Amino acid sequence: MFTELNSILNTTPDSFTQGEFILVSERQSDASFLIHHFLSFYLRARCKVCFLGLVQSFSHYSAVSQRLGVSLAQAKEKGQLVFLEGLKESLSILDPQEANTGSQAMDFLRDPAVGLRCLYEFVRSSVSSPGGGEEEWGPLVLLVDDLSVLLSLGVSVGAVLDFSHYCRATVCSQQQGNVVMLVRCDGEEDEEDDGDDEGSERLLKGLSHQCSLALQVRGLPTGYCRDIHGQVEVCWRRRQADGQHTQKKLFQYKVHDKGASFFARGTSSAVL
């Protein structure tokens, strides 16, 4: 959890907005540090978390969280964290020699006609069932890292947007919980690409209209810098009686082993 980012977003584990859809996107940079931030943030806030880890193993997320002072193993054991290890699930389906995990969440790999129905059912059952043990948990949270992987696995943009819509309806609207999703785009912002890149751009555009908070991570326009790793634009969207209001702020950032530093653009001594 990054305290400087909490200050920027005006939030703490003890006080945060419920019913939010937070969209994290990256372009020519790595936004995974924000996924680790929100994972540790909501676990510290005693939320019940469903995490769809589609790009890394549980061991990877656990090691990073450990450096941030959070134990994913303990959270799983207590029933606070439900983790879907997408790599292991996919391998058990695509390689007949691998042991079957028993989960049907990734069944669209067996039968594309099924679509993402089983993955949504996994999310719905995870957030609907109470956690194990005697402890009571706070608001529900769904984290997805990263949604654009589904495009690489042959799922259409429309199906991914439908999946996002149903997840938000279940978690944000019905349960007043929060959803955090990451989308990766490889090309330049105004570039026209084919294949997965074009799909990622369409997916990002579709989700951007629906989120209440967007964090867009980009590389520095000046190129590589040892002391600054990139920039992040924070965009708040609030619907009011007279329409939707948007506020944007741009920050530069540097990721450390156990945290991250953020600078208002132009205030870092490294980049002007």
Side-chain angles (χ1 to χ4, degrees):
M1 182 179 73
F2 308 141
T3 53
E4 288 186 28
L5 182 58
N6 287 342
S7 297
I8 292 171
L9 301 180
N10 192 28
T11 187
T12 69
D14 297 322
S15 177
F16 59 90
T17 305
Q18 293 180 227
E20 272 204 318
F21 171 35
I22 301 172
L23 178 62
V24 178
S25 64
E26 69 173 48
R27 191 185 302 275
Q28 299 180 327
S29 192
D30 184 3
S32 59
F33 70 98
L34 292 178
I35 289 295
H36 295 299
H37 162 77
F38 284 113
L39 176 60
S40 61
F41 176 90
Y42 286 119
L43 289 176
R44 285 180 181 274
R46 296 186 55 78
C47 296
K48 171 75 180 289
V49 177
C50 174
F51 186 15
L52 306 185
L54 304 179
V55 294
Q56 297 286 356
S57 66
F58 178 79
S59 299
H60 168 82
Y61 294 111
S62 182
V64 177
S65 294
Q66 199 75 43
R67 292 201 298 270
L68 298 178
V70 174
S71 172
L72 298 193
Q74 288 183 7
K76 277 184 69 176
E77 193 176 310
K78 293 187 295 185
Q80 184 185 11
L81 172 67
V82 178
F83 183 83
L84 176 73
E85 191 161 352
L87 293 176
K88 184 182 292 186
E89 296 284 341
S90 300
L91 192 59
S92 71
I93 293 173
L94 299 175
D95 187 350
Q97 296 182 346
E98 288 291 323
N100 196 313
T101 61
S103 170
Q104 297 179 327
M106 306 290 281
D107 263 11
F108 64 89
L109 293 174
R110 290 192 184 95
D111 181 8
V114 172
L116 298 176
R117 201 177 314 139
C118 292
L119 188 58
Y120 166 70
E121 284 300 324
F122 175 87
V123 172
R124 189 189 62 79
S125 62
S126 298
V127 300
S128 300
S129 60
E134 300 177 356
E135 298 190 55
E136 293 186 6
W137 306 114
L140 300 168
V141 174
L142 169 66
L143 276 82
V144 184
D145 180 23
D146 81 72
L147 202 61
S148 46
V149 164
L150 297 173
L151 302 179
S152 303
L153 295 175
V155 183
S156 68
V157 174
V160 178
L161 286 172
D162 286 344
F163 169 73
S164 167
H165 170 77
Y166 284 114
C167 287
R168 288 184 292 104
T170 300
V171 178
C172 299
S173 301
Q174 296 178 15
Q175 306 277 9
Q176 280 302 293
N178 289 356
V179 171
V180 182
M181 292 181 171
L182 171 64
V183 174
R184 288 183 167 90
C185 295
D186 294 327
E188 295 284 351
E189 196 153 4
D190 298 324
E191 244 179 31
E192 288 190 10
D193 292 316
D194 296 324
D196 291 341
D197 289 342
E198 182 185 1
S200 296
E201 296 292 348
R202 289 170 52 204
L203 178 61
L204 178 59
K205 187 174 292 186
L207 295 174
S208 296
H209 294 297
Q210 303 164 5
C211 68
S212 53
L213 173 63
L215 294 97
Q216 303 172 358
V217 178
R218 304 289 184 266
L220 291 171
T222 53
Y224 171 78
C225 177
R226 185 183 62 183
D227 297 314
I228 299 294
H229 293 155
Q231 60 187 28
V232 54
E233 182 182 75
V234 183
C235 178
W236 293 267
R237 292 185 174 90
R238 293 288 181 264
R239 287 184 174 84
Q240 298 179 358
D242 56 346
Q244 181 170 279
H245 291 252
T246 301
Q247 180 187 5
K248 294 182 179 181
K249 289 186 178 181
L250 188 63
F251 299 88
Q252 293 164 346
Y253 70 89
K254 180 177 182 179
V255 180
H256 311 289
D257 188 47
K258 295 184 178 181
S261 300
F262 294 84
F263 316 93
R265 188 177 181 183
T267 62
S268 164
S269 59
V271 180
L272 299 179

